[in-house]
């Protein structure tokens, strides 16, 4: 830390980031890398460490959310877990989580996440029936969540990707 105060070089930022990594502090690693990248945006090592820290932080958060669901399932936890899984491209675990959420609660938002997971399967080119199911579930979700634009955006994206321009309007 003192070395960085005297010399804000890439090497010193990398060293400090690695110290935090050794302590299992991905949030601190990410903070140090961001600061270092502001001064040294060309540093491939800082970029690599920042990416690893983001991945580790996400993995830790996923584990925390799974533990929370086991002890006290709540919609907010299901929502965050589904969002993280979908952001990571993990459609199957997202579908399983959203389906469990839908089974355990009457929260209409769970329908949206089931639709979003099926849409990811469709977008990945797996099965057209996933696209149809996602479109139908997004429509159901839009009715239940009348002020939420996400289901309509999802329907639009499905229609756009399958070339159904009339439906997309």
């Amino acid at each position: 830390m003192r070395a960085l105060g005297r010399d804000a070089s890439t090497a010193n930022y990398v060293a400090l980031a690695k110290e935090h990594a050794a302590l299992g502090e991905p949030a601190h690693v990410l903070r140090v890398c961001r600061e270092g990248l502001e001064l040294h945006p060309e540093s491939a090592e800082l970029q690599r460490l920042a990416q690893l820290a983001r991945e580790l932080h996400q993995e830790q958060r996923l584990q925390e959310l799974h533990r929370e669901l086991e002890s006290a399932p709540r919609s907010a936890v299901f929502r965050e877990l589904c969002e993280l899984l979908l952001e990571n491209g993990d459609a199957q675990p997202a579908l399983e989580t959203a389906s469990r959420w839908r089974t355990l609660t009457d929260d209409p938002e769970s329908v949206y996440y089931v639709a979003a997971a099926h849409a990811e399967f469709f977008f990945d080119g797996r099965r057209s029936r996933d696209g149809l199911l996602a479109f139908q579930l997004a429509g159901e979700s839009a009715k239940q969540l009348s002020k939420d634009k996400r289901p309509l955006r999802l329907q639009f994206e499905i229609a756009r990707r399958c070339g159904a321009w009339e439906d997309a309007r």
Side-chain angles (χ1 to χ4, degrees):
M1 186 79 111
R2 288 186 182 156
L4 187 58
R6 289 188 307 268
D7 178 18
S9 67
T10 301
N12 284 338
Y13 274 105
V14 168
L16 182 57
K18 285 182 177 180
E19 285 178 30
H20 285 296
L23 295 171
E25 301 172 335
H28 292 294
V29 173
L30 196 51
R31 181 183 50 77
V32 169
C33 288
R34 284 182 181 148
E35 183 181 321
L37 286 167
E38 285 179 15
L39 297 173
H40 309 284
E42 74 291 342
S43 173
E45 183 69 6
L46 285 172
Q47 291 172 6
R48 186 184 69 75
L49 286 171
Q51 181 60 34
L52 289 173
R54 277 190 291 277
E55 291 170 6
L56 180 59
H57 184 69
Q58 277 192 342
E59 186 58 38
Q60 287 177 345
R61 186 63 187 142
L62 286 171
Q63 290 172 2
E64 289 171 11
L65 291 169
H66 281 292
R67 282 192 299 273
E68 283 185 54
L69 284 179
E70 292 306 314
S71 64
R74 298 181 320 280
S75 289
V77 178
F78 276 112
R79 181 182 310 107
E80 185 178 352
L81 181 55
C82 286
E83 286 174 1
L84 276 176
L85 291 168
L86 288 169
E87 285 173 15
N88 289 340
D90 296 330
Q92 186 60 44
L95 176 60
E96 292 165 4
T97 300
S99 296
R100 180 172 168 231
W101 179 12
R102 189 176 182 194
T103 301
L104 292 176
T105 71
D106 290 330
D107 190 332
E109 195 173 12
S110 64
V111 176
Y112 166 75
Y113 285 102
V114 172
H118 279 288
E120 287 303 314
F121 288 133
F122 174 66
F123 297 154
D124 288 341
R126 295 188 185 177
R127 298 181 300 242
S128 61
R129 70 178 180 200
D130 282 313
L132 179 59
L133 182 57
F135 193 86
Q136 291 169 340
L137 288 169
E140 180 183 326
S141 179
K143 289 176 188 168
Q144 295 174 345
L145 302 168
S146 60
K147 294 182 181 179
D148 191 341
K149 295 186 182 348
R150 293 175 304 164
L152 296 175
R153 286 187 186 123
L154 183 59
Q155 279 189 315
F156 172 82
E157 187 59 25
I158 294 165
R160 187 185 71 76
R161 290 198 187 190
C162 72
W165 297 110
E166 285 302 311
D167 289 343
R169 292 183 213 198

